[in-house]
């Protein structure tokens, strides 16, 4: 297995002098293809900051972030935008769906940006709708879907363009326990079927139960890295 993610002495600092905060402090982390990994830690430990740097949404103060064999730390903003579009799927706590678009249109959107043909877009969306259990609801807008259904649309949108990496920041935070477990069942099944790499930033014990690897941060440093 090759590394999908590799951070090399990555740090992210905010402020300076007396107000300096080391949100991430000299972190070395390697994640291989197909992992289902949870980054955990108390509030302020740096887990969301680390996830943002892994996703090329934030730039390290020092160190390097390599994704799919490429140094994203050295990319220009336009290169980063294209790289994220083609290689990373994001799932956020707040779903981040476009309210005026249907479930199908939300899922299809990234593929439109990628210039994928209409025939292929239709095929992929039909396939992923079935996998995430949303057949018959593809024409509904987000306001017409439950929270769990909206998060399923978000997961489908993240996966449909076949990225090498899915990053999920507290994806179950707004869901009740039953819906959260159902979503995790679905995500782990998709991980096993498609060998996509999933990395979560979370406080949720349900995600920790499902994860095969737990990386614990405290004060911006990895203090525990456990395979289950």
């Amino acid at each position: 297995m090759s590394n999908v993610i590799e951070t090399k002495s990555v740090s992210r600092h905010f402020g300076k002098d007396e107000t300096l905060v080391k949100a991430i402090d000299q972190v070395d982390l390697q994640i291989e293809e197909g992992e289902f990994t949870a980054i955990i830690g108390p509030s302020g430990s740096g887990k969301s900051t680390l996830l943002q740097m892994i996703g090329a949404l934030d730039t390290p103060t020092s160190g390097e972030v390599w994704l799919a064999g490429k140094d994203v730390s050295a990319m220009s903003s336009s290169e980063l935008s294209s790289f994220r579009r083609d290689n990373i799927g994001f799932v956020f706590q707040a779903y981040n769906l476009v309210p005026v678009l249907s479930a199908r249109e939300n899922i299809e959107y990234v593929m439109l940006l990628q210039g994928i043909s209409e025939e292929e877009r239709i095929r992929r969306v039909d396939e992923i709708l079935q996998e995430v259990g949303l057949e018959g609801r593809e024409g509904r807008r987000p306001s017409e879907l439950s929270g769990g259904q909206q998060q399923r649309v978000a997961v489908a949108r993240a996966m449909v363009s076949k990225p090498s990496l899915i990053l999920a920041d507290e994806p179950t935070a707004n869901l009740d326990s039953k819906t959260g477990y159902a979503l995790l069942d679905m995500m782990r099944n998709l991980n096993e079927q498609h060998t996509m790499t999933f990395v979560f930033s979370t406080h949720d014990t349900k995600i920790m139960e499902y994860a095969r690897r737990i990386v614990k941060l405290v004060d911006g440093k990895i203090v525990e890295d456990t395979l289950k």
Side-chain angles (χ1 to χ4, degrees), residues 1-5 31-35 164 194-197:
M1 288 289 186
S2 58
N3 286 336
V4 175
I5 300 167
I31 293 179
E32 294 183 347
E33 180 184 3
E35 286 196 30
S164 54
H194 299 283
T195 325
M196 285 184 183
T197 307

Side-chain angles (χ1 to χ4, degrees), residues 26-78:
Q26 296 287 309
V27 165
D28 293 301
L29 177 66
Q30 295 82 39
I31 293 179
E32 294 183 347
E33 180 184 3
E35 286 196 30
F36 202 78
T37 295
I39 300 172
I40 69 168
S43 295
S45 61
K47 56 188 182 297
S48 289
T49 301
L50 181 58
L51 201 74
Q52 287 171 357
M53 288 195 294
I54 289 171
L57 295 172
D58 194 7
T59 304
T61 304
S62 61
E64 298 175 0
V65 178
W66 289 74
L67 298 177
K70 296 187 177 181
D71 181 6
V72 298
S73 318
M75 290 183 184
S76 67
S77 57
S78 61

Side-chain angles (χ1 to χ4, degrees), residues 153-217:
V153 173
V155 172
R157 179 185 59 186
M159 294 195 63
V160 76
S161 59
K162 300 183 178 179
S164 54
L165 175 63
I166 305 287
L167 300 179
D169 191 7
E170 298 286 6
T172 56
N174 292 329
L175 306 178
D176 61 66
S177 182
K178 181 179 178 181
T179 305
Y181 277 119
L183 181 73
L184 286 166
D185 278 331
M186 181 196 75
M187 294 173 86
R188 194 158 72 176
N189 286 339
L190 291 170
N191 162 257
E192 290 170 353
Q193 291 166 15
H194 299 283
T195 325
M196 285 184 183
T197 307
F198 279 75
V199 180
F200 299 84
S201 165
T202 189
H203 288 100
D204 192 341
T205 55
K206 293 190 293 296
I207 295 177
M208 297 177 207
E209 289 173 27
Y210 276 66
R212 299 189 188 91
R213 179 181 176 189
I214 302 288
V215 177
K216 184 175 182 179
L217 289 181

Side-chain angles (χ1 to χ4, degrees), residues 132-147:
V132 301
L134 287 173
E135 316 97 300
R137 296 181 175 86
E138 59 266 30
R140 297 185 184 182
R141 293 184 177 180
S143 61
E144 300 170 313
L145 298 170
S146 69

Side-chain angles (χ1 to χ4, degrees), residues 115-156:
I116 293 172
S117 71
E118 182 179 8
E119 182 181 4
E120 178 66 6
R121 294 199 309 270
I122 291 170
R123 186 192 68 77
R124 286 200 203 176
V125 174
D126 286 345
E127 186 178 86
I128 199 80
L129 281 166
Q130 184 173 8
E131 287 192 79
V132 301
L134 287 173
E135 316 97 300
R137 296 181 175 86
E138 59 266 30
R140 297 185 184 182
R141 293 184 177 180
S143 61
E144 300 170 313
L145 298 170
S146 69
Q149 289 167 345
Q150 289 184 64
Q151 195 62 297
R152 285 172 181 261
V153 173
V155 172

